[in-house]
Structures are given as C-alpha cells and as structure tokens.
Amino acid sequence: MLEYVGLIPLFPAIGFLINGFFGRRLGNKAVSVVGPSAIGLSFLTAILIFFELLGKPAGERLFEKTLFNWVVSGTLQTVVGYQIDPLSILMVLVVTGVSFFIHIYSVGYMHGDPGFPRFFTYLNLFVFMMLNLVLANNFLLMFVGWEGVGLCSYLLIGFWYEKDSASNAGKKAFVVNRVGDFGFLLGMFLLFTALGKHGIWTLDFTEVFKNAHLLDPGTVTAITLLFFVGACGKSAQLPLYVWLPDAMEGPTPVSSLIHAATMVTAGVYMVARCNVLYNMAPLSMAVVAVVGVATAIFAASIGFFQNDIKKVLAYSTISQLGYMFVGVGVGAYSAGIFHLMTHAFFKGLLFLGAGSVMHALSGELDMRKMGGLWKKIPITFGTFFIATLAIAGIPGLSGFFSKDEILWMAFSSPHGHFLLWLVGAVAAGMTAFYMFRALFMTFFGESRVEEHAKHHLHESPRIMTVPLMVLAFLSIVGGYIGVPHVLGGSNRIHEFLAPVVGGGAEPATAHAGFSILAQAWASAGEAGGHSATVEVLMMALSVVIALCGIGIAYFFYIKNTALTKQLADKRLGMYTLLSNKYYVDELYEFLFVNSLKRLGTGLWRGFDEFVIDGTVNGIAYLVGWISAVGRRVQTGFVQNYAFSMVIGGVILAAYYIVRAVFY
C-alpha cells in the first residue's frame, strides 16, 4: 500500500472537482455523499498504509514516492513527492479521521443552506491542501499546502460573505497569515542559499537534515526563528493570534476543522518535522517554548469572561496550541504531537457540540441566553461534558496524558525550566475554570433561553450526534497510547515517533551573539535524574490545580450566581481588561490598520494624484494647449492661406539671399 500514498490526497481532490464543477447539477444529496466519501476513502487508505508501516522494523519506516519533477531550474531540482514516516502517517490519520466525522456532521448542520455544494467543495479542498502539507517530502511542496490551507481558511471563514463580519474576518485571517508566511518564505530562501554555499542545492527534507551539520549555528538560529514566525501565524501564537477568534464567523464545522484537524496544527507539525534544525539552535527552542507558554496563559485569561461559546473555544485552542509549542520547544517533540492528536479529538468534539447547541437554539451563541439544556439535549450535553473533562486534564481521559507529558517535559527536559512548568500548570487550572464555566452556563442552572428559541429546542439529528459520540469515545481512549512509564505504561506514541523526532543532530555551540541567553537557558533547565516520585507528585499537583479551577467555576456559576452578576456589574478593572481582550485588536487597529490606511491615503493623494495623475494630466494639458494655439492657424479663409504662403516664400527667399551673400 505504501506505493499508493498518492491516493490519500487524490480522493479529496476528486471530491473537490466533482462538487466544484458538478455539485449544483448533481444536487445536495449527491454532494452530501461525494464530500464525506472522498475523505472516508482517504482515511481508509491511510489506515492500510499505517498498518503496513507498523509491520516494518522501526529503522525502516521511511518511504518516499516521487510523482513527477516539478521545478527544474538550474541548480534547483524540486519534485512533487510524498513522504511516509511515523510523523506524517500519524498526522494523516488525525487529519483524515477527524475531518471525515466533521464532513458527516456538516451534512446535517448545513442542510438547507443555499451554498451547500460550495461548502463541501471548499471543505474537500481544505483537507487536500492539509494532506499535501503533511505528506510533502520537501519544503517547497509543504509551502504549497501551507498557502493552500490559508486560502481555504479565507474562503470558509468568509463563507457567508453577505455578512460584513464574515467577510472582514476572512480578510483578517488572510492578511495576518501573510505576515507569518513572509517569515516562512525568508527562512526557506535562507536555508536554500546557506546549503548552496556547500554545493547542496536542495529543499528535500532528507537531504537538508542529512547535511544540516554543515550550517553554522547563527544561520540555523536565523532559519528556525524565521520558520517559527510562520508557525506563529498559522498556529495563532503571540503576536499573530488575532485572526483565530474572528474565524468563528464561519460555519461551526469550519471552526471545528480549522481548530482540530487542519490549519492551526500546521505550525506545530512544521517545528516537529524540522527537529534536526531546532536541536541545533537552543536559542530558537527557548523562543518557541517561551512564546508557547506565554500564549497559553494569555489566551486562557481572555477566555475567562467571554460569553460567546465559540469564542471561548477559540481562545481555548490558542492556549492549547501554546502547550504544544512548549512541548516541541523543550525538545519533547513526541509530547507536542501527542497533545496535537488528543486535542484534535476533544476540540473537534467541543466545536461540534457547540454547533449542536446552536442548532437547538436557532443559532444562539451567547451563553447568557442558555442554561438548563442538559435535559433537553442529553447527547450533546454528555459528549460536551466528556470533552470538557478531557481538556481540563482530568485523569483517565486523553487530555490528561498528553497535557501532563508536556508539563513534565517542560520541567525535566535539559531545555526546560521550573517556571515553564509553573506557568503551564497555572494555565491548566485556568483552562479548567473557563471550560467548566462554559459547561455550567450552557447546560446547568435556570433556563435563560428566549421564548422564540424554546419552541425550536430539540436534540440534533443522528447524522450530527453520531460523530459527537465517536469523538467522545476517542476523547476518552485516545490518550492510552501514551501512558507514561511512571503509571505503568509504555508510551507507545513516543516509541513510534522516536525514529523521526527522537534523534537528530547534536545541539551545536551557540553563536557568539546568542551564547549568553542560550547557555543561561540551557543551564537553568538542567533537571536530569528526577525520580518517579517527583513526576507523580507534579502530576498530582497539576490535577489538584485543575480541580481547583473546576471548584471555582462551580462556586461562581452554580452555587452563587448572584455574586458573579455583582462582580460583572461593578465593572472591575481586570474584568473590563479581560472582557475586552486586553484591547489588542484596538491596539493593532491603531498601530497597523489605521497607519496603513493613512499611508495609503497619503500615497494616493500625494503620489498617485499629484505625481502620476499630475504628470499624465499635465502632458494632456500641454498637448491641448499646443493644439489650441495651433488650431488658430486653420481659419478656413483662402486669403489667409495665400497670405501665409507669400510670407513663407519671402522668408525662404530672404534665407537664401543671406546665405549667398555671407557664405
């Protein structure tokens, strides 16, 4: 089956073409079969390839398939080729598996929408681009997928483009991601030219990583930092996170797809794929970890007082992505990918659950207008509750194993630090608080549902609830492939990914310009030799912190709701700051959006109108003036023309007489 790796992205491409060109003719029923079936076949192919790969010895789990030569220009020889190894096949399983259930759910959610064929066309294209990103065997093809998911996010976030909020959100996502992509491009150019100095003109992963030792540390640091700029854009990290909350303007299945299986996971995957380069750049690893933990606690704090259920989940995603970057930033690449996988299960479930709540309440998003829904929509409640327990890190569910693996590695890794663990643990407690706040406000307490929505209140159809139950099951059992040794497990996911992310180049001595920071970071994080007792103790402590967060949420939103209202009415400074998201959007509006508008207006008025238009219009005026003067000669009177001929003859005669006399 390895030879047929090209089928994995081919099926979504076929679905895209059929729905795109013939969807309206075939009708919604045919589209609802073609769209999910294309992803289902891709998922089935990925499962067969996974088991074939699993049957090979660990050292032989690498297969490359070249489809055709692509860019051949001088020293640059690039192919369209796919690479199957433990990292790429795991990502493919996550992408196709979760996307498949989202596609099925979308059939029910988007029922009756006039843009039904267009929606599934974009959805299939989204998965196709993401599969190219994770299967690519070179940086250039990865970048095609990288840009492709950016395009599809623009199309799907602004799917209901009739609304200004949706079209503006799509534009915002597109522009912010271009900032990050510029960094990725610069990193790719620098990598290509730096290796070219050693006679190695390639962007192929295998060749790049094999020859990475030829690069000097300063160059590797610059390359990896530029790549991380791209990751900050795609994976919504500080300071380029602002597009993701606004992305909620798209249909809810789109939010689930972006947050769980595509787009935002691309940055984490890219860093893990480039682990050889990052291992050579301790400063870059420090930056990745610090930005990740800062994003985790920053986004978690904003989630405290959001009332839009999808916005709460959006800031939750930003925070959880921060955890993943902490994992890869401290060198625990398998832990970061492990959390990426479990997060896909419970975050996909949370968004689909939110969509089911909206379906029951005629599109309502404000949690202040919900409450008491657990009896009305029990399947949605039960599955949402499981996902909330998982993201809170409650023992026995998938999120517990992956989150605590990252926290432990943040403390014990040579690249880790106690402060990384501490901030991460506090962010975990904050996550438990705001997620249970959302659960309590939505499903418990007195009903605050408006009268017009009460008549429509009902459980979603089975085509929507079955994917919820499947993802709930995965949210429970998905973490058991990574049970740590201290709990008696074998951490199979770490063993599976070890051939790709467990080794790599040895860390090089930092460049002189970065040595102080890099060495200080490395020495501060030396924590080798920790006992199993310490690991269990810290694991228990993180659980206690999460339980405290749940307890506080219970006190404020179940036990004493009046106190919550009193605090909100007082409009305390911290409440105002957090509910307005630290005014970051307003700051960006002032610093960048308005400044660029003023710059554009100035260039329009000062350069375009004055210089360009002035030059063109000035030439036209000059020609007009000359024409106006010249046309006076054309009077239409024969005697004037005869007089002009006489004058001309006299002038010519005078000229020749003077010439004959003097020359």
Side-chain angles (χ1 to χ4, degrees):
M1 281 301 298
L2 287 172
E3 285 286 342
Y4 300 102
V5 60
L7 292 176
I8 296 176
L10 178 63
F11 289 126
I14 293 173
F16 160 71
L17 293 173
I18 293 175
N19 288 330
F21 287 99
F22 308 107
R24 290 196 176 277
R25 297 179 186 176
L26 295 174
N28 290 0
K29 189 172 182 179
V31 170
S32 65
V33 173
V34 172
S37 297
I39 309 303
L41 290 171
S42 186
F43 182 40
L44 179 61
T45 306
I47 292 174
L48 296 175
I49 290 177
F50 167 73
F51 280 109
E52 181 173 345
L53 195 71
L54 203 61
K56 294 180 176 293
E60 299 177 12
R61 292 173 181 170
L62 172 63
F63 175 80
E64 291 191 59
K65 174 71 173 181
T66 299
L67 300 183
F68 54 85
N69 290 330
W70 181 22
V71 180
V72 179
S73 177
T75 54
L76 176 61
Q77 309 285 322
T78 306
V79 301
V80 170
Y82 296 136
Q83 176 173 312
I84 288 291
D85 60 19
L87 177 59
S88 63
I89 195 62
L90 180 63
M91 288 294 300
V92 166
L93 287 171
V94 170
V95 171
T96 56
V98 176
S99 297
F100 174 58
F101 294 110
I102 293 173
H103 274 68
I104 293 174
Y105 176 97
S106 299
V107 173
Y109 188 89
M110 297 298 292
H111 177 73
D113 192 284
F116 193 87
R118 178 167 58 92
F119 179 79
F120 277 93
T121 300
Y122 293 164
L123 223 57
N124 283 167
L125 181 63
F126 205 166
V127 177
F128 168 73
M129 288 299 181
M130 187 65 189
L131 289 172
N132 274 280
L133 191 156
V134 299
L135 283 171
N137 71 347
N138 61 80
F139 282 99
L140 195 58
L141 184 57
M142 174 192 268
F143 188 71
V144 171
W146 190 273
E147 289 297 288
V149 294
L151 169 64
C152 294
S153 69
Y154 164 75
L155 295 172
L156 286 166
I157 293 168
F159 180 77
W160 289 316
Y161 55 83
E162 300 89 350
K163 297 192 301 181
D164 286 341
S165 57
S167 59
N168 289 337
K171 288 184 288 185
K172 185 175 183 179
F174 190 82
V175 171
V176 173
N177 272 277
R178 298 293 72 72
V179 176
D181 295 348
F182 182 64
F184 190 102
L185 266 177
L186 291 179
M188 188 165 59
F189 294 157
L190 181 56
L191 176 64
F192 181 71
T193 54
L195 283 175
K197 293 178 181 178
H198 301 279
I200 302 166
W201 301 96
T202 184
L203 288 171
D204 181 81
F205 289 147
T206 303
E207 291 298 315
V208 166
F209 300 147
K210 183 174 70 175
N211 295 286
H213 64 279
L214 299 174
L215 302 174
D216 66 90
T219 301
V220 176
T221 299
I223 291 168
T224 48
L225 287 176
L226 287 169
F227 280 160
F228 184 58
V229 171
C232 286
K234 275 290 176 288
S235 296
Q237 297 295 283
L238 287 171
L240 300 178
Y241 73 93
V242 291
W243 67 271
L244 193 56
D246 288 11
M248 300 304 98
E249 289 291 338
T252 301
V254 172
S255 304
S256 183
L257 191 64
I258 290 175
H259 289 247
T262 59
M263 187 78 171
V264 297
T265 62
V268 181
Y269 167 76
M270 184 273 295
V271 174
R273 173 60 69 192
C274 298
N275 66 89
V276 173
L277 298 175
Y278 280 91
N279 287 336
M280 297 173 62
L283 176 66
S284 297
M285 294 181 70
V287 170
V288 171
V290 169
V291 170
V293 78
T295 304
I297 198 164
F298 177 83
S301 66
I302 297 178
F304 272 23
F305 302 118
Q306 297 299 307
N307 294 311
D308 183 318
I309 188 171
K310 287 175 68 176
K311 289 287 181 70
V312 173
L313 299 180
Y315 283 106
S316 167
T317 297
I318 298 170
S319 182
Q320 295 300 307
L321 287 164
Y323 274 110
M324 298 175 206
F325 279 109
V326 171
V328 296
V330 299
Y333 301 103
S334 60
I337 296 298
F338 183 26
H339 195 56
L340 183 155
M341 182 194 77
T342 61
H343 177 264
F345 301 149
F346 57 72
K347 184 52 61 66
L349 174 55
L350 285 168
F351 269 108
L352 297 186
S356 185
V357 171
M358 293 170 60
H359 182 270
L361 297 178
S362 303
E364 184 60 67
L365 285 166
D366 193 337
M367 295 186 296
R368 293 170 296 185
K369 298 178 181 179
M370 298 179 186
L373 296 178
W374 71 275
K375 289 183 179 179
K376 303 292 184 180
I377 46 175
I379 297 176
T380 300
F381 162 69
T383 54
F384 197 94
F385 182 49
I386 289 171
T388 305
L389 290 172
I391 196 173
I394 300 303
L397 286 90
S398 60
F400 164 75
F401 296 108
S402 58
K403 180 205 71 176
D404 274 276
E405 178 76 8
I406 288 175
L407 288 177
W408 171 245
M409 293 306 297
F411 173 74
S412 63
S413 166
H415 298 281
H417 194 281
F418 171 74
L419 288 177
L420 283 177
W421 176 87
L422 180 62
V423 177
V426 171
M430 295 165 69
T431 300
F433 169 78
Y434 68 72
M435 285 305 306
F436 270 85
R437 170 183 177 265
L439 181 78
F440 293 147
M441 289 182 69
T442 303
F443 295 100
F444 290 92
E446 295 182 1
S447 175
R448 301 176 298 279
V449 178
E450 295 181 345
E451 286 300 322
H452 72 88
K454 286 183 179 179
H455 302 294
H456 183 264
L457 189 54
H458 65 280
E459 184 61 271
S460 299
R462 289 185 63 82
I463 198 167
M464 293 172 65
T465 56
V466 169
L468 294 180
M469 291 185 281
V470 173
L471 290 174
F473 174 75
L474 293 174
S475 297
I476 296 172
V477 306
Y480 286 91
I481 64 171
V483 178
H485 296 285
V486 72
L487 295 181
S490 60
N491 206 335
R492 289 188 291 273
I493 191 168
H494 176 75
E495 296 170 359
F496 181 67
L497 292 175
V500 182
V501 301
E506 292 296 321
T509 304
H511 188 269
F514 305 121
S515 60
I516 296 176
L517 176 59
Q519 290 172 8
W521 176 267
S523 62
E526 289 178 1
H530 292 294
S531 67
T533 304
V534 175
E535 184 175 355
V536 172
L537 181 63
M538 300 188 80
M539 190 181 296
L541 185 57
S542 69
V543 173
V544 170
I545 293 173
L547 292 175
C548 288
I550 297 172
I552 295 171
Y554 177 81
F555 176 77
F556 279 104
Y557 294 96
I558 296 293
K559 199 73 175 174
N560 198 344
T561 55
L563 180 59
T564 306
K565 190 176 185 306
Q566 291 171 11
L567 291 174
D569 290 341
K570 288 181 179 179
R571 307 296 293 180
L572 300 175
M574 183 57 69
Y575 176 86
T576 303
L577 184 66
L578 293 179
S579 60
N580 287 283
K581 303 165 286 186
Y582 294 102
Y583 297 99
V584 173
D585 282 299
E586 289 78 3
L587 179 64
Y588 283 9
E589 183 85 12
F590 173 75
L591 291 178
F592 302 113
V593 178
N594 291 336
S595 297
L596 287 172
K597 283 182 180 178
R598 286 192 294 269
L599 176 62
T601 302
L603 291 173
W604 165 40
R605 297 289 190 190
F607 187 74
D608 190 48
E609 282 195 343
F610 183 74
V611 178
I612 304 226
D613 288 354
T615 301
V616 174
N617 294 336
I619 293 172
Y621 177 79
L622 179 63
V623 171
W625 180 81
I626 294 172
S627 300
V629 173
R631 70 184 175 84
R632 296 180 184 276
V633 178
Q634 303 294 329
T635 63
F637 296 109
V638 175
Q639 58 268 33
N640 290 348
Y641 299 152
F643 178 73
S644 297
M645 292 175 64
V646 170
I647 295 297
V650 170
I651 292 172
L652 284 174
Y655 168 75
Y656 284 111
I657 291 170
V658 170
R659 183 177 178 183
V661 172
F662 294 100
Y663 297 96

